[in-house]
Amino acid sequence: MKQPVNVEITETAFQTLRQLKAYMSLFITPDQLNLLMTSLVQQTQQLIEEVPCRPACPELSLIGIQDYRQLNLLENYKVLYRLDLQANKAFIIAFMRQKQSAQKLLVDLALMQ
């Protein structure tokens, strides 16, 4: 039986989760917000462990970046992650709204470094 992929949440992912939380706090109650953040993290880890090989992020693929995979969650959110099959690890890179630009987010994060 194949071992599940180890899922690691990067510091960048935590940073994007904080940004998402700040944005969503404008629209939902604190209790709903905490439930949403917990759900996003738990579901992401579980789904990547179960099925690590998902499609590349279509938006990034258009500009030639093929190594970021995309997981869509709860109809309104997406998660970017990278997969290292040799090490049996997945690295969560970003949590974001479905309509948010992955390209812009990655550029913004690179500029913040």
Side-chain angles (χ1 to χ4, degrees), residues 73-91:
L73 291 173
L74 308 173
E75 297 181 21
N76 295 316
Y77 305 96
K78 61 186 172 187
V79 178
L80 299 179
Y81 68 99
R82 297 179 85 170
L83 185 60
D84 182 344
L85 287 174
Q86 289 183 325
N88 200 37
K89 278 191 165 187
F91 300 92

Side-chain angles (χ1 to χ4, degrees), residues 37-48:
M37 295 299 114
T38 301
S39 263
L40 286 174
V41 170
Q42 289 176 345
Q43 284 187 31
T44 297
Q45 288 180 306
Q46 180 183 358
L47 291 170
I48 293 173

Side-chain angles (χ1 to χ4, degrees), residues 5-6 9-10 12 14 19 23 27 34 36 40-41 47-49 53 64 66 71-72 82 87 90 101-102 105 109:
V5 169
N6 294 317
I9 302 174
T10 65
T12 303
F14 282 119
Q19 291 171 347
Y23 176 79
F27 304 102
N34 289 334
L36 173 62
L40 286 174
V41 170
L47 291 170
I48 293 173
E49 284 173 1
C53 289
Q66 302 293 325
L71 173 64
N72 297 315
R82 297 179 85 170
S101 166
L105 178 70
L109 290 170

Side-chain angles (χ1 to χ4, degrees), residues 86-113:
Q86 289 183 325
N88 200 37
K89 278 191 165 187
F91 300 92
I92 299 172
I93 305 298
F95 292 90
M96 55 200 309
R97 295 180 331 276
Q98 191 67 40
K99 294 181 181 178
Q100 195 172 352
S101 166
Q103 181 180 354
K104 182 181 180 328
L105 178 70
L106 292 179
V107 169
D108 289 348
L109 290 170
L111 293 174
M112 294 167 116
Q113 301 293 328

